[in-house]
Amino acid sequence: MRITFLGTGTSHGVPMIGCDCATCRSTDPRDTRLRPSLYLQHPSAAILVDAGPDLRLQALRHDIRRVDAILFTHGHADHILGLDDVRRFNAIMQRSMPCYGDAQTLEDIRRTFHYVFDSSTPKGGGLPALDLTQIDGPVRVGDVEAVPVPLWHGERPILGFRFGSFAYLTDCNRLADEAWRRLEGLDVLVLDALRVRPHPTHFSLDEAIEAARRIGARRTFFTHMCHDLLHEATNARLPQGMALAHDGLVLDAHA
Ligand SMILES: [Zn+2]
Ligand SMILES: [Zn+2]
Ligand SMILES: [Zn+2]
């Protein structure tokens, strides 16, 4: 299974509009971060995790032509606002898009994109075709099994996903009790690390390092970073086996 980081930034993206800080002005391409999303390719299926506002640009940048399903971690704007671009995948795949999320996320999608689910909306190629399915256990797409991992994003319960030896945990500042057991024996972990200072709904870098140590994956990559974290300088002081992810990073893992 091949994993491509389509976006590793927080909701504002990096550079942030109207900011002149060192990260936002950096010439290191690893300091440019689109909104968070992941693309998994397996011979039997291609899966998108979240569909944020940069989906069109991400699909063009990586020439993504196949998406068999979208798994949603939660319904915040930076994770769902690209759903209109699913129209192209409807056309290419010749089918409606299977979309999986928890009950709250599906409600968020139905409310944010109310016109898509309103039968009185005039048709004519302007609407994405979305098949929403609530997650209440592992999801199978082709031969890939996605195991939901319960997380806390502030007061809000959201989902991370484990695919074989790989796990993707974005937008969290705490793991639910049952999550730890589901994360045993990982090869690669991806974990939220927003910034250095604490935040009410995201892990700070120190908190993320501590959680990553306890999870104990062979390698850990951090994501959902804001402009406080300059790539090269931050990486230089991370513990062995941990690094910041960056847009375009590609990893191979066992599904
Ligand atoms: Zn900045
Ligand atoms: Zn969020
Ligand atoms: Zn987010």
Side-chain angles (χ1 to χ4, degrees):
M1 185 173 63
R2 172 150 291 191
I3 294 146
T4 305
F5 289 82
L6 302 181
T8 59
T10 190
S11 60
H12 289 286
V14 181
M16 198 161 73
I17 294 172
C19 184
D20 296 315
C21 79
T23 311
C24 289
R25 293 173 54 198
S26 167
T27 54
D28 183 341
R30 296 168 303 175
D31 284 315
T32 295
R33 302 174 185 134
L34 296 178
R35 266 61 73 89
S37 181
L38 199 73
Y39 184 57
L40 293 97
Q41 290 167 284
H42 182 268
S44 69
I47 300 170
L48 203 55
V49 182
D50 291 328
D54 294 320
L55 176 57
R56 174 176 170 275
L57 187 59
Q58 291 161 335
L60 290 171
R61 191 179 276 181
H62 297 281
D63 197 22
I64 295 174
R65 291 162 189 251
R66 177 176 181 180
V67 180
D68 294 283
I70 306 176
L71 303 181
F72 287 94
T73 59
H74 65 305
H76 282 166
D78 52 328
H79 299 259
I80 68 169
L81 283 189
L83 271 173
D84 193 53
D85 289 319
V86 166
R87 287 176 298 153
R88 279 301 297 146
F89 295 112
N90 292 147
I92 296 167
M93 304 289 293
Q94 290 289 300
R95 60 172 297 187
S96 60
M97 180 64 74
C99 296
Y100 297 89
D102 65 16
Q104 178 66 56
T105 301
L106 299 189
E107 192 188 317
D108 292 338
I109 290 172
R110 284 196 186 92
R111 201 174 51 241
T112 307
F113 295 89
H114 63 92
Y115 60 92
V116 172
F117 304 96
D118 181 347
S119 56
S120 68
T121 303
K123 303 289 184 287
L127 298 178
L130 309 173
D131 267 346
L132 305 186
T133 302
Q134 190 178 320
I135 294 176
D136 46 22
V139 173
R140 188 164 271 280
V141 184
D143 296 331
V144 180
E145 187 182 60
V147 178
V149 179
L151 307 171
W152 288 98
H153 185 20
E155 296 301 306
R156 178 183 177 133
I158 76 148
L159 297 178
F161 296 102
R162 177 174 183 155
F163 308 86
S165 61
F166 169 78
Y168 181 68
L169 315 180
T170 187
D171 290 63
C172 55
N173 63 333
R174 189 156 59 88
L175 275 65
D177 292 341
E178 61 267 42
W180 300 97
R181 191 174 42 81
R182 291 189 199 172
L183 296 170
E184 283 170 6
L186 284 180
D187 185 29
V188 178
L189 168 69
V190 179
L191 188 61
D192 182 353
L194 180 74
R195 63 185 190 187
V196 173
R197 288 170 295 137
H199 186 278
T201 64
H202 293 273
F203 277 131
S204 67
L205 190 59
D206 282 346
E207 291 166 343
I209 290 170
E210 192 186 314
R213 277 210 179 101
R214 193 173 152 196
I215 293 167
R218 205 167 63 79
R219 286 184 298 165
T220 297
F221 293 91
F222 298 114
T223 191
H224 212 292
M225 285 90 61
C226 81
H227 63 165
D228 289 3
L229 302 179
L230 200 54
H231 187 92
E232 180 109 40
T234 307
N235 260 348
R237 56 191 175 80
L238 289 178
Q240 184 80 26
M242 299 188 195
L244 300 190
H246 59 84
D247 290 20
L249 175 66
V250 175
L251 303 171
D252 286 309
H254 291 292

